[in-house]
Amino acid sequence: MTAPHADQLIGQYVTRLEAALSSVAPARRSELVADVRNHIAEARSELAGETDADVLNILDRLGDPAEMAAAEMERTEPAAPGRKESRVLEIASIVLLLLFWPVGVILLWLSKTWTTRDKLIGTLVPPGGYLGALLLGAVLAYGAFSPMCRTITDSAGHVLSSSCPSDAAQTSFNVIAVLLALFYLVGPIFTTAYLVARLKKREAYPATPLGAASIIGA
Amino acid sequence: MALESLVTQMRKGALEYCVLALLTQPRYGFEIVQRLGQIDGMLTSEGTIYPLLGRLRRDGLVDTDWRESPTGPPRRYYALTAEGRRNLRAFRNEWSTFRTAVDAILKSGATS
């Protein structure tokens, strides 16, 4: 049996909870609201014949939404200073991505600071870093300077057939070459800035667990 | 008043490790609340357990997964990670040293 005003009472409580959690990130807020709704559903399922008083009792035991919000804010405070981790691996990785890409990439994937998305961007924008740029440059130069026209002549020197790539093909080759060159020039600058920004963000909000000693030592 | 705030702080600090201790086997949120509710004074507002569980997960001390419930909506289960197990072990040691030390001093103060 359902209490006459169960939906109304629970709705009011959830509205107050959502308001109290207004400064929490939306995804996390809806997760907490879902946790509370599940909690209420579990508590109600244990009652044989529920009354409004039973529902009010469940909500009362959950406590003031403001208290829950306070607990959530306190739990997301940045960790105390003095627990800063060393960033040697990350800095070496960023520098080597520019100077010697293969080693830089290995360090990048060894680091636990960046997410997989960060690592993919670090690896693929651009692939090979400046080392890749050198290789690509060599290929492009070969393409640009090698003879574009094939001419077949007979033993007497008469031209039998001649084929040159069309102007359109030549132009699109040039456009692709310029775009690739730009990508390889700008890519590493973007990637370096991006990885440094992500590193700084992680330093501001590190996920360091509270040490066992800190509650006793405090 | 200072004593009241000390007790609040101690309870708050210990609660985190009591939750870790309960999670040596997988449990869902409401089950954790019920377990803690059996011990008087451990959990004053049941709702505050959810921010705590969220932080334990963010810190990598517990893992979560969804499982079907025989009665209602699916349940989010929490269980210790290797890191959580390490933290719990460290707390057990610290706690028993601390408790023994305080007990010894309280007792010696009473008899001399």
Side-chain angles (χ1 to χ4, degrees):
Chain A
M1 208 185 76
T2 310
H5 301 101
D7 289 345
Q8 197 184 332
L9 293 169
I10 294 165
Q12 279 169 0
Y13 185 86
V14 167
T15 308
R16 279 171 56 212
L17 179 62
E18 280 171 337
L21 293 171
S22 59
S23 60
V24 174
R28 176 65 184 143
R29 190 192 316 147
S30 45
E31 194 175 55
L32 280 170
V33 169
D35 281 342
V36 164
R37 279 191 182 280
N38 281 347
H39 177 106
I40 296 170
E42 295 275 2
R44 290 178 73 192
S45 73
E46 299 210 327
L47 298 169
E50 78 172 7
T51 62
D52 282 348
D54 290 328
V55 174
L56 278 172
N57 187 35
I58 292 169
L59 300 178
D60 198 47
R61 290 174 61 138
L62 269 172
D64 189 346
E67 223 173 311
M68 211 176 138
E72 176 67 17
M73 314 295 186
E74 159 197 346
R75 302 295 179 191
T76 48
E77 261 175 3
R83 293 195 53 133
K84 208 163 161 182
E85 291 162 56
S86 153
R87 291 291 179 216
V88 176
L89 179 71
E90 284 74 20
I91 291 163
S93 165
I94 291 174
V95 172
L96 284 171
L97 274 176
L98 293 172
L99 298 180
F100 194 68
W101 186 81
V103 178
V105 164
I106 292 169
L107 295 184
L108 178 76
W109 285 88
L110 280 179
S111 163
K112 284 179 184 156
T113 303
W114 287 302
T115 63
T116 307
R117 190 186 67 172
D118 298 341
K119 290 174 181 177
L120 280 175
I121 290 177
T123 308
L124 296 176
V125 183
Y130 280 127
L131 205 69
L134 280 177
L135 283 174
L136 184 88
V139 170
L140 288 180
Y142 176 79
F145 294 118
S146 62
M148 284 301 208
C149 299
R150 278 172 186 280
T151 307
I152 300 167
T153 51
D154 63 10
S155 51
H158 300 296
V159 173
L160 293 177
S161 75
S162 173
S163 71
C164 284
S166 65
D167 279 355
Q170 184 67 39
T171 309
S172 54
F173 177 82
N174 287 340
V175 168
I176 290 169
V178 168
L179 285 180
L180 269 174
L182 264 178
F183 176 61
Y184 264 92
L185 278 175
V186 179
I189 297 168
F190 161 80
T191 304
T192 305
Y194 175 80
L195 289 177
V196 170
R198 296 288 294 180
L199 196 61
K200 288 218 160 142
K201 198 171 170 199
R202 276 305 288 263
E203 264 173 18
Y205 307 100
T208 40
L210 190 73
S214 61
I215 58 162
I216 289 168
Chain B
M1 283 312 104
L3 177 64
E4 201 173 296
S5 117
L6 172 69
V7 171
T8 308
Q9 288 302 319
M10 285 202 304
R11 187 195 295 131
K12 211 192 237 175
L15 175 64
E16 174 174 342
Y17 293 94
C18 292
V19 170
L20 289 183
L22 283 177
L23 294 178
T24 42
Q25 71 178 79
R27 294 182 198 276
Y28 58 97
F30 188 68
E31 191 186 358
I32 299 166
V33 168
Q34 280 180 315
R35 290 265 167 176
L36 292 171
Q38 289 164 4
I39 305 148
D40 200 31
M42 217 38 228
L43 194 59
T44 46
S45 300
E46 293 177 352
T48 54
I49 199 77
Y50 297 102
L52 170 60
L53 287 170
R55 193 178 65 79
L56 293 177
R57 184 186 51 185
R58 269 198 300 284
D59 289 348
L61 304 183
V62 302
D63 261 339
T64 63
D65 65 327
W66 288 93
R67 296 187 197 173
E68 289 303 322
S69 143
T71 51
R75 291 164 170 166
R76 194 207 304 275
Y77 274 77
Y78 298 82
L80 283 188
T81 60
E83 175 84 11
R85 236 175 280 276
R86 268 197 297 279
N87 274 28
L88 177 59
R89 204 177 310 130
F91 177 75
R92 270 188 212 281
N93 292 336
E94 295 278 357
W95 178 256
S96 85
T97 310
F98 179 71
R99 188 187 49 203
T100 312
V102 173
D103 280 353
I105 294 166
L106 290 179
K107 215 185 272 177
S108 77
T111 53
S112 61

